[in-house]
Amino acid sequence: ERVGDQVALPAVVGIVRVQHIQPAGAVEEKGVAVPVPDSYDRHSWLLLAECAETGEAVATMRVTTRASGPLECEHSFVLPTILRAPDVVEISRYAILPSHRRGKGRSPGVSIGLFKAVILFAQQVVGARRVVVCSKAERVQTYTYFCFRQTGVHAPYTALDGAMHEILVMDLRHG
């Protein structure tokens, strides 16, 4: 569903606020205020993971297309030519409630399910061939675990207080 859906939006806002405004643990001591919704929500889809037992919204990931203009990351980065194609989507707002994150001895089931949903959605609904994500250095390992490749393209991410980020890419054609 699109982010503007009135049913899904309150749950999504809560998850995004938990992830971005409140401290997110040892790696990130200070959160960043992110407006929800923002101008990209109009041409994005938000994938929402729910707990099968309770129906509680536990995780989100936003998928943005070029349907209405450049990707959000293009305001801070100059993407390589191959990543400026219409069949490239951007993921952002990857947020999992702390109580559902990977714990000692548990597999990252929510993450695996959410990334699988992104891949299937990007391929089958949007027709994407590549997915890009902006990542801080301390989060790159999460994305490489899910088969994203580092591009070597780094820049301060304007929308996130100028924090240094890198563009990573997943090629869906070679999955």
Side-chain angles (χ1 to χ4, degrees), residues 70-85:
L71 301 175
E72 183 177 14
C73 65
E74 292 178 285
H75 293 286
S76 297
F77 294 86
V78 176
L79 295 178
T81 304
I82 198 162
L83 298 180
R84 290 185 236 147

Side-chain angles (χ1 to χ4, degrees), residues 43 64-71 74 79 83-89:
H43 60 276
T64 304
T65 68
R66 285 196 160 78
S68 297
L71 301 175
E74 292 178 285
L79 295 178
L83 298 180
R84 290 185 236 147
D87 60 358
V88 174
V89 297

Side-chain angles (χ1 to χ4, degrees), residues 31 45 54 67 75 106 138 159:
W45 285 265
T54 66
H75 293 286
R106 294 190 344 227
E138 61 265 21

Side-chain angles (χ1 to χ4, degrees), residues 157-172:
Y157 201 103
T158 310
L160 297 174
D161 290 347
M164 189 61 70
H165 280 67
E166 179 179 2
I167 293 285
L168 288 90
V169 63
M170 177 191 287
D171 191 330
L172 300 174

